[in-house]
Amino acid sequence: MIRVRGPQGAALGIGAGSRPAPRSAAADGCAVVVGGNWIVRADYRSADFGTWTQPFFTTGGVGFDDRFTAHVTTRTHTATVGIAYKF
């Protein structure tokens, strides 16, 4: 099973206005019956939220310049593994 979604984070269920939507998101997972009613599953998710740029102290004072710009790149990589018993 492979799911790839485009912009706006449809794969992760992120709503507009609450958090930034990822530029790209992808997920992949599998489940295997290992014996009887036991199931082992693994999942991987990745999201790229892009780069956030924020300038600080944009107006310099007299005789000094303390301008600073932060560039933050946000990406997530999540892997999960689970064991389940099916009744």
Side-chain angles (χ1 to χ4, degrees), residues 53-71:
T53 302
Q54 176 65 46
F56 294 98
F57 311 116
T58 56
T59 57
V62 177
F64 64 91
D65 185 7
D66 60 354
R67 288 180 284 180
F68 174 75
T69 302
H71 302 281

Side-chain angles (χ1 to χ4, degrees), residues 34-86:
V34 292
N37 291 341
W38 288 98
I39 300 170
V40 175
R41 56 184 150 213
D43 185 39
Y44 173 76
R45 294 183 184 126
S46 173
D48 181 359
F49 292 90
T51 301
W52 174 69
T53 302
Q54 176 65 46
F56 294 98
F57 311 116
T58 56
T59 57
V62 177
F64 64 91
D65 185 7
D66 60 354
R67 288 180 284 180
F68 174 75
T69 302
H71 302 281
V72 179
T73 301
T74 308
R75 294 184 189 118
T76 62
H77 299 276
T78 306
T80 60
V81 176
I83 300 173
Y85 184 81
K86 190 174 182 181

